[in-house]
Amino acid sequence: SYPVDYSQEVQVQRNIPFLEEDNPVARMDICLPPGEVPASGYAPVLFLHGGPLPDTGERPWPKEWRVFQDYGILAAANGLAGVVINHRYIGYEGLVQAMADVQQAQYFLADRGADFGLNGHNIALWAFSGAGMLLSALLREEMNTPSCLVAFYPMLDLTHIPQAADAYSDEELIALSPLSHIETIPASLPMYLARAGRDRPGLNRALDTFVKQALYHNLDLEVRNLAHSGHGFDMFEESAVVQQTVQHGLDFILFHLERNKDNGVSL
């Protein structure tokens, strides 16, 4: 629903393997602005698709979906590097594998980003839907903290999902849920969450609890509630409110990546 200009000469590097042991699924596309790469490299936005995906064999993987191609190009059109990956969140039992995949993508951008024109030490994360579940592995203090986080209609708790109970014990459901790890989120991390008011009640209850606890811990949090929108609003709805929400996510990232650049975050 967000207008993207495909006539711009965005440079796209496709199907880059990012795992230590190559896997044909776990690949990365990098979209760069046209022109010469600056000496410091472009700051990347790592877009994280949701899940769990059905285990149906052959499929177009999420980085091939138009919505994520649009997001990659949108980032590049605004002077950033749009990085879109596939991770292996296939069925709820694939969550741990997906967490490891995305951690490796972060390490890859930090270690090898300069080879592709990136400053992998000044990175933004933009998560959608089930990718919210990956955040408990990405936002711990010992990780390379991203410069900022944007999350649209994120899933943040597994304990209310009956299908997940088939894959994990009660203790594991709690341990895997970001809602259980708010105290490990760095206080300096700016976060922007967009909530779909007509989303599934269980998902929104967890999101609302996350927001309440994040505010209790005085985290750097901004929330936008789209009261009349449903899950996946940026994919399925064409409205000024949705476009403003996407634009604000982009502006939020631009502001914080530029601020970190000015503060000396570099290769």
Side-chain angles (χ1 to χ4, degrees):
S1 65
Y2 192 94
V4 176
D5 184 2
Y6 270 82
S7 68
Q8 299 193 55
E9 296 179 2
V10 171
Q11 307 172 62
V12 183
Q13 304 172 73
R14 298 195 182 280
N15 296 318
I16 300 166
F18 62 85
L19 298 182
E20 293 181 1
E21 295 182 3
D22 187 20
N23 179 279
V25 171
R27 296 296 173 94
M28 172 185 293
D29 289 354
I30 299 175
C31 302
L32 298 180
E36 186 175 347
V37 176
S40 60
Y42 291 109
V45 184
L46 178 57
F47 295 98
L48 302 176
H49 68 80
L53 300 171
D55 188 8
T56 55
E58 293 295 325
R59 62 158 68 83
W61 287 88
K63 78 176 182 65
E64 311 301 333
W65 297 355
R66 175 65 181 267
V67 61
F68 291 113
Q69 292 179 4
D70 281 356
Y71 271 115
I73 290 172
L74 179 65
N78 284 271
L80 302 169
V83 180
V84 184
I85 68 169
N86 293 326
H87 55 75
R88 290 170 288 175
Y89 191 3
I90 303 169
Y92 284 104
E93 62 276 10
L95 175 58
V96 174
Q97 179 66 72
M99 288 179 171
D101 288 349
V102 176
Q103 283 181 314
Q104 286 301 313
Q106 269 194 283
Y107 291 137
F108 180 87
L109 293 174
D111 295 339
R112 295 278 315 283
D115 298 342
F116 299 92
L118 310 181
N119 178 350
H121 296 277
N122 187 20
I123 182 174
L125 300 180
W126 195 328
F128 301 84
S129 187
M133 290 303 306
L134 306 175
L135 300 179
S136 58
L138 299 177
L139 302 181
R140 297 194 299 261
E141 291 282 1
E142 67 268 21
M143 288 291 295
N144 293 324
T145 304
S147 297
C148 59
L149 166 71
V150 174
F152 279 10
Y153 40 87
M155 181 184 295
L156 297 170
D157 182 30
L158 277 186
T159 62
H160 70 281
I161 301 173
Q163 301 94 316
D166 295 333
Y168 302 103
S169 67
D170 291 345
E171 292 77 12
E172 289 171 329
L173 292 173
I174 294 170
L176 288 169
S177 297
L179 187 58
S180 305
H181 298 283
I182 290 176
E183 293 183 5
T184 71
I185 297 175
S188 60
L189 175 68
M191 296 182 287
Y192 167 53
L193 306 183
R195 177 186 187 275
R198 294 181 176 174
D199 212 331
R200 299 187 296 275
L203 188 152
N204 271 349
R205 278 196 298 272
L207 176 54
D208 296 345
T209 302
F210 181 93
V211 169
K212 181 178 179 180
Q213 292 188 16
L215 293 176
Y216 175 80
H217 289 284
N218 201 31
L219 299 184
D220 189 348
L221 177 65
E222 182 177 338
V223 181
R224 176 74 181 271
N225 183 43
L226 283 75
H228 305 293
S229 294
H231 197 81
F233 53 74
D234 54 326
M235 290 182 264
F236 304 122
E237 298 180 27
E238 297 183 2
S239 69
V241 170
V242 168
Q243 292 188 16
Q244 290 167 2
T245 302
V246 175
Q247 182 63 51
H248 186 70
L250 180 63
D251 292 342
F252 182 89
I253 285 172
L254 285 165
F255 174 81
H256 289 290
L257 289 179
E258 187 63 28
R259 186 181 70 172
N260 273 21
K261 179 181 175 183
D262 293 342
N263 289 340
V265 176
S266 66
L267 294 171

